[in-house]
Amino acid sequence: MEELGIVSYGSHIPRYRIKAEVIAAVWGKDGAAISRGLGIFEKSVPSIDQDTATISVEALRAALKRCTTLNPTEIGAIYVGSESHPYAVKPTGTIVGEAIGATPDLMVADYEFACKAGTAAIQTCIGFVKAGMIKYGVAIGADTSQAAPGDALEYSASAGGAAFIIGKNNVIATINHTLSYTTDTPDFWRRAEMKYPSHGGRFTGQPAYFKHITNCATKLMEKAGSKPQDYTYAIFHQPNGKFPVNVAKKLGFTIDQVKQGLMVPYIGNTYSGASMIGLASVLDVAKPGDRIFMTSYGSGAGSDGFDITVTDTITKLARENAPTIAQLVADKEYVDYGQYTKMTNLLFWE
Amino acid sequence: MRDVAVIGVGLTKFGERWDQSFRQLIAEAGSKAILDANIEGKDIDALYVGSMSSGRFVDQEHIGGLVAEVSGFSHLHIPATRIEGACASGGLAVREGYLSVASGLNDIVVVGGIEKMNDVSGTAATDILATASDQEWEAFFGATFPALYAMIATKHMHDYGTTKEQLAQVAVKNHANGALNPYAQYQSPVPLESVLKATTVAYPLGLLDCSPVSDGAASIILCSADKAKNYIDKPVKIIGSGQASDTLSLHGRRDICTLDATVHAAKMAYKQANLTPKDISFAEVHDCFTIAEICAIEDLGFVKKGEGGKAIDQKITTLDGSLPINTSGGLKAKGHPVGATGVAQIIEVTLQLRGEAGKRQLKDTQRGLAHNIGGSGASGVVHILEAM
Amino acid sequence: MKEGVARFWRQIPERYNFMANKCESCDRVYFPPRESCPYCRRKSIGKMKKTKLSGKGEVVTYTIVHIGPEGFEEQTPYPIAIIKLDEGPYITAQIVDCPFDQIKIGMKVESTFRKIQQDGHTGAIYYGYKFKQRK
């Protein structure tokens, strides 16, 4: 069977953090109770000079550092998934392509599908590589996600991203199967020209997150002829610490399969970056033969499922050339709410 | 080349001159100089005016003709030229005027310098001043002017052990001198504590390590030395004039702590005057920041490299020291209307040499030196003057 | 929109990727690239070869800017440094992600991709290099 899958990967997480209890104190809420309820203790905060473009560039540069044999000019496509592209019109991918030296013979487009735009980009790259139209494709999921001050999302909306190089040469993890489950479900949205998103509260749970992930995961296992016990690791979209654990249990996965890819308690919900950072964390420790199950979720709504097998080649990838997710998570500096408002431009006026 | 003398000087008060326009300031300085020199409009062969950024400070370029017009000389159609070299614009205008008389082409020229900086906001003034740095490779990345000099200070402190107290002492000294100068922007002494405790602008420089944003104009009349005494009793001769350039960016320099433009301009001036640094009795140097005075006295050869900070401790540079520096209060206390500064320095040296410097008059005033810098050191100009 | 975008766009190769050039006559490296080598002069014409720098270097001197220029107000206080790149050229750039008291002359640094400034909230965003401590 021809191998097609992940050739290299890299991530970036801004180093500033704010604790949930610090946000809670501003709004007179019980921080400990909120942390327990959401399963989030702190979240990453982008500095004033970081946005989805800079995070994407840093993530992809990390991927290229790990794969020293790959020449950026061999990359034929870059798709950046985000709901916080710095420009409403002017693709983030153009900036990324230029910054890694992949231009000008390059296909680029920006994707938006709430928190699953990055995994949708992986599927696009798989298609192009499989069709022989490109040698390597890059899929990035990155966000500096916004939450209105005082909204429940303020405890989770964070910043970070991951980049995956997809190809047929030196594949470290074969993507065996992928499929999506999509419906029109308005659980979370942001209208054009609005700064902060709106959401349907508890409607984002059962009819949205759980329904789409469960259906997508079930159909993927049907297609692959697999069962939860066949997988070493499982990654589910992680808007908070509770949802992914609950959906995993419901599908028959164990907490041991989930925990390596569960980063949300320490960095919050990086939106388009979330399940991809989870996958990167798994690849940081994965061994040849490990099988990985990943299901993303994007509001609106849809889920992308992936069945992945780690190959022997992973031992040849210079994983040590870029920081692991664990290292990125550990390298941190706390900010207070005042600094946070400045860094995330909550104080914007003109 | 023939000898050239300063036969007239005119200065406005420096400071926040809210009630005075660009045109009023330059007209005041010019007419004072003309009256001082006992000349008339018809005696003037050419006019040079130094201004760094009239275009951005008052939205007015093309000021050569304008200065002639507000001085009442339009009908005489005098050649009028504007000179620009950032904060060295005034010094460069002096040198152009000097060269035109020395060459024999002109007998009498008016040299002016002006900047009207308070007609824009403080932030805008900072931005305009930053155009004197490398816009593409320094300012673009957030380097302000204080930041560039602060980086010189950090390195000077690291390499030579210069202290924040020594930097602050420069400000204390220059404010003490400024207190004796009725034309100075700041006319009261500042205690060391205040300088050290001032709000940080760019570490290690605080607000009182920086020269202010100022309005002001200065003007001098240059004349061939052989005819100078036809007009006044106490002309002052320019015995050396030097100018040099260097990289626009600070990071492009041979040595971060040395302004080679100063070194080379000084070498040229000393050579022409056939003098060494030891022969200079006092100097007006370009202290846009306290660290700049420390570098200047080193680069002019008054003290060894790295010992500029100690010179303050040893009281060499105070009014009663062996080499008084910035008797006028310097850019620090007198004020720094950038285009006017280089001309105003010549005026202070002239007044000292004439014995007309009032409460700050020095006893030993054989020869004085004026040193004017553009940007962080891309332009340097040095003049040495002597009483006739 | 205050500024034309072309003059920023023109410098993308240098600001994103440290595109420099090297005089093949004397091996000196120039960043930003030069039309000719000031040492070899006419000998260098036609011999200035493009080269990409590593973005690694060390701090030569630095300051912490507390009063920033227009467009940088939200970033203050920020450190800015002169950095000697490993290949030889000196540049001026910001230091990020480093506590101020850890910044020292001689500190090893490497480049990171950041927003440098923007033309207000409606104009273009300009990206480029900043530096962080090399670990």
Side-chain angles (χ1 to χ4, degrees):
Chain A
M1 193 180 90
E2 185 183 52
E3 283 188 344
L4 190 162
I6 299 161
V7 175
S8 187
Y9 70 100
S11 306
H12 184 76
I13 299 166
R15 67 190 290 275
Y16 295 100
R17 304 279 185 279
I18 188 164
K19 290 186 172 172
E21 65 196 51
V22 171
I23 298 172
V26 171
W27 304 108
K29 301 238 163 88
D30 180 349
I34 286 173
S35 280
R36 269 198 313 277
L38 288 175
I40 296 176
F41 304 100
E42 56 197 55
K43 68 167 189 173
S44 62
V45 180
S47 55
I48 196 100
D49 58 0
Q50 286 178 301
D51 62 19
T52 292
T54 68
I55 291 169
S56 299
V57 169
E58 290 292 291
L60 182 49
R61 282 182 176 171
L64 289 166
K65 272 186 194 167
R66 285 182 167 135
C67 189
T68 50
T69 55
L70 194 153
N71 184 335
T73 57
E74 296 178 297
I75 292 169
I78 296 177
Y79 295 95
V80 182
S82 181
E83 57 112 76
S84 54
H85 289 290
Y87 290 94
V89 178
K90 192 212 178 310
T92 307
T94 57
I95 299 160
V96 177
E98 201 76 49
I100 60 140
T103 50
D105 299 318
L106 185 69
M107 294 191 281
V108 163
D110 282 359
Y111 277 8
E112 183 281 308
F113 197 143
C115 297
K116 81 162 193 72
T119 55
I122 295 179
Q123 292 176 325
T124 307
C125 289
I126 292 171
F128 279 125
V129 171
K130 201 164 196 167
M133 287 174 67
I134 57 174
K135 187 169 180 189
Y136 297 109
V138 168
I140 297 172
D143 260 307
T144 52
S145 51
Q146 314 92 354
D151 190 271
L153 291 176
E154 199 175 20
Y155 300 96
S156 59
S158 70
F164 290 85
I165 302 173
I166 307 297
K168 287 182 186 172
N169 303 65
N170 301 317
V171 171
I172 61 161
T174 307
I175 298 171
N176 312 310
H177 303 281
T178 180
L179 56 78
S180 298
Y181 181 87
T182 308
T183 71
D184 180 349
T185 307
D187 60 325
F188 170 104
W189 62 89
R190 179 163 61 83
R191 291 283 297 273
E193 294 174 17
M194 289 294 107
K195 186 168 178 184
Y196 302 115
S198 307
H199 55 85
R202 292 186 59 78
F203 182 68
T204 58
Q206 284 309 332
Y209 179 89
F210 288 97
K211 174 183 161 189
H212 290 79
I213 289 197
T214 309
N215 279 301
C216 179
T218 307
K219 283 170 187 281
L220 179 63
M221 283 188 278
E222 271 171 31
K223 186 177 177 185
S226 59
K227 50 191 187 304
Q229 295 79 352
D230 297 336
Y231 296 94
T232 329
Y233 301 104
I235 301 139
F236 298 99
H237 175 54
Q238 36 205 273
N240 53 54
K242 288 288 171 67
F243 280 21
V245 173
N246 292 347
V247 84
K249 280 185 195 158
K250 194 175 163 197
L251 284 164
F253 289 90
T254 66
I255 188 74
D256 281 343
Q257 286 168 295
V258 170
K259 66 182 179 195
Q260 179 65 29
L262 188 63
M263 312 318 300
V264 67
Y266 321 106
I267 58 170
N269 180 7
T270 55
Y271 283 50
S272 301
S275 34
M276 294 174 80
I277 287 174
L279 177 58
S281 174
V282 165
L283 291 175
D284 282 341
V285 299
K287 290 188 276 300
D290 284 349
R291 199 162 167 192
I292 304 165
F293 189 83
M294 174 167 79
T295 315
S296 62
Y297 172 71
S299 289
S303 275
D304 301 330
F306 297 85
D307 176 291
I308 299 165
T309 305
V310 179
T311 72
D312 292 342
T313 310
I314 198 159
T315 57
K316 292 185 200 138
L317 187 74
R319 282 187 278 190
E320 68 283 1
N321 282 5
T324 63
I325 295 296
Q327 286 168 330
L328 291 171
V329 168
D331 180 17
K332 62 185 172 185
E333 184 179 333
Y334 290 106
V335 296
D336 61 29
Y337 196 82
Q339 290 167 304
Y340 166 77
T341 57
K342 183 175 151 190
M343 292 162 99
T344 53
N345 216 12
L346 295 186
L347 300 173
F348 162 67
W349 78 95
E350 197 158 68
Chain B
M1 294 276 282
R2 56 179 178 170
D3 285 342
V4 178
V6 180
I7 60 165
V9 298
L11 192 63
T12 70
K13 187 183 178 308
F14 284 5
E16 292 175 348
R17 302 293 308 274
W18 304 114
D19 58 336
Q20 293 286 301
S21 70
F22 178 93
R23 297 173 192 219
Q24 286 171 303
L25 288 167
I26 191 68
E28 178 190 335
S31 55
K32 278 178 173 172
I34 287 164
L35 289 172
D36 186 49
N38 299 308
I39 60 167
E40 291 177 40
K42 64 178 171 47
D43 299 325
I44 301 167
D45 296 319
L47 182 154
Y48 295 89
V49 59
S51 175
M52 173 184 164
S53 197
S54 58
R56 290 192 62 184
F57 282 120
V58 293
D59 257 351
Q60 182 68 63
E61 303 289 16
H62 204 179
I63 60 167
L66 174 69
V67 170
E69 181 191 334
V70 299
S71 307
F73 302 144
S74 290
H75 63 291
L76 297 172
H77 308 292
I78 296 167
T81 308
R82 179 243 183 115
I83 313 284
E84 191 275 311
C87 318
S89 299
L92 297 185
V94 171
R95 187 169 149 86
E96 290 308 310
Y98 164 81
L99 292 173
S100 83
V101 176
S103 71
L105 190 66
N106 294 319
D107 285 331
I108 292 180
V109 302
V110 179
V111 176
I114 173 144
E115 219 72 57
K116 172 72 190 170
M117 300 170 75
N118 283 298
D119 276 359
V120 297
S121 71
T123 318
T126 305
D127 267 19
I128 295 166
L129 290 170
T131 62
S133 67
D134 188 326
Q135 277 292 312
E136 297 187 4
W137 305 104
E138 289 179 327
F140 174 80
F141 294 96
T144 57
F145 241 87
L148 295 173
Y149 277 94
M151 289 198 283
I152 298 176
T154 305
K155 186 98 168 89
H156 208 281
M157 289 164 77
H158 176 267
D159 290 2
Y160 304 113
T162 303
T163 63
K164 274 193 75 167
E165 285 73 15
Q166 288 169 339
L167 295 175
Q169 289 289 5
V170 174
V172 171
K173 169 183 71 75
N174 291 350
H175 275 276
N177 294 352
L180 306 175
N181 182 354
Y183 290 90
Q185 180 159 358
Y186 298 119
Q187 300 190 17
S188 52
V190 169
L192 182 66
E193 279 295 284
S194 306
V195 183
L196 288 171
K197 284 184 181 161
T199 184
T200 306
V201 173
Y203 168 86
L205 301 179
L207 191 61
L208 291 176
D209 285 293
C210 308
S211 56
V213 169
S214 317
D215 305 326
S219 183
I220 60 170
I221 312 295
L222 297 178
C223 175
S224 62
D226 54 341
K227 292 176 188 145
K229 291 208 172 169
N230 299 347
Y231 298 96
I232 62 163
D233 296 335
K234 288 194 267 183
V236 164
K237 193 157 78 171
I238 297 176
I239 57 172
S241 174
Q243 184 188 340
S245 62
D246 203 343
T247 61
L248 187 55
S249 66
L250 178 63
H251 61 241
R253 306 280 161 75
R254 176 186 63 81
D255 174 27
I256 301 295
C257 293
T258 305
L259 279 74
D260 274 339
T262 299
V263 174
H264 289 270
K267 201 180 275 179
M268 196 184 285
Y270 288 137
K271 189 179 170 202
Q272 183 188 351
N274 196 23
L275 296 172
T276 71
K278 287 188 189 66
D279 301 314
I280 304 297
S281 340
F282 65 99
E284 286 288 302
V285 308
H286 196 89
D287 61 326
C288 49
F289 299 92
T290 50
I291 182 65
E293 177 170 315
I294 289 174
C295 289
I297 61 173
E298 294 169 353
D299 298 338
L300 290 165
F302 298 150
V303 297
K304 278 206 307 204
K305 189 82 235 167
E307 294 187 355
K310 292 185 197 114
I312 312 296
D313 292 339
Q314 295 159 354
K315 310 257 182 245
I316 294 171
T317 55
T318 51
L319 272 188
D320 53 356
S322 58
L323 181 66
I325 299 289
N326 286 329
T327 55
S328 68
L331 285 55
K332 178 73 264 289
K334 183 180 59 188
H336 184 27
V338 285
T341 286
V343 182
Q345 290 176 322
I346 300 288
I347 293 177
E348 176 68 10
V349 173
T350 301
L351 291 175
Q352 288 285 357
L353 292 171
R354 285 194 200 170
E356 295 171 6
K359 287 180 186 168
R360 60 189 192 284
Q361 180 62 48
L362 301 169
K363 288 190 193 80
D364 170 29
T365 56
Q366 211 183 348
R367 284 178 213 99
L369 178 147
H371 160 255
N372 190 197
I373 281 291
S376 66
S379 296
V381 55
V382 170
H383 285 100
I384 303 171
L385 294 87
E386 192 175 67
M388 278 176 74
Chain C
M1 292 258 300
K2 291 170 289 186
E3 314 274 7
V5 291
R7 70 192 179 99
F8 297 97
W9 162 80
R10 209 174 286 136
Q11 286 167 334
I12 282 177
E14 292 86 26
R15 287 177 181 159
Y16 284 18
N17 285 319
F18 288 101
M19 289 310 297
N21 66 2
K22 186 176 187 172
C23 170
E24 286 189 304
S25 170
C26 71
D27 278 351
R28 282 188 180 87
V29 175
Y30 296 102
F31 182 83
R34 296 186 63 104
E35 298 304 311
S36 63
C37 170
Y39 295 89
C40 301
R41 313 191 75 80
R42 70 189 60 196
K43 262 198 301 181
S44 70
I45 294 168
K47 287 187 179 168
M48 302 299 289
K49 197 184 167 194
K50 271 190 186 177
T51 177
K52 186 176 183 299
L53 307 183
S54 65
K56 293 189 168 76
E58 69 171 61
V59 172
V60 174
T61 184
Y62 67 94
T63 179
I64 316 290
V65 177
H66 287 258
I67 299 176
E70 214 172 338
F72 287 82
E73 299 94 337
E74 293 165 324
Q75 297 186 35
T76 55
Y78 57 86
I80 196 158
I82 290 178
I83 289 152
K84 182 182 194 291
L85 297 172
D86 284 357
E87 294 86 352
Y90 286 68
I91 61 167
T92 299
Q94 282 189 36
I95 307 278
V96 294
D97 287 358
C98 185
F100 296 165
D101 57 4
Q102 279 181 27
I103 301 172
K104 296 276 183 294
I105 289 175
M107 182 174 91
K108 303 275 186 206
V109 291
E110 62 186 341
S111 72
T112 175
F113 190 78
R114 296 293 173 107
K115 252 166 90 169
I116 307 296
Q117 50 169 289
Q118 58 187 6
D119 191 1
H121 286 274
T122 54
I125 304 167
Y126 304 114
Y127 297 94
Y129 50 77
K130 293 190 182 182
F131 285 77
K132 58 182 181 182
Q133 191 169 9
R134 210 191 307 176
K135 287 181 180 145

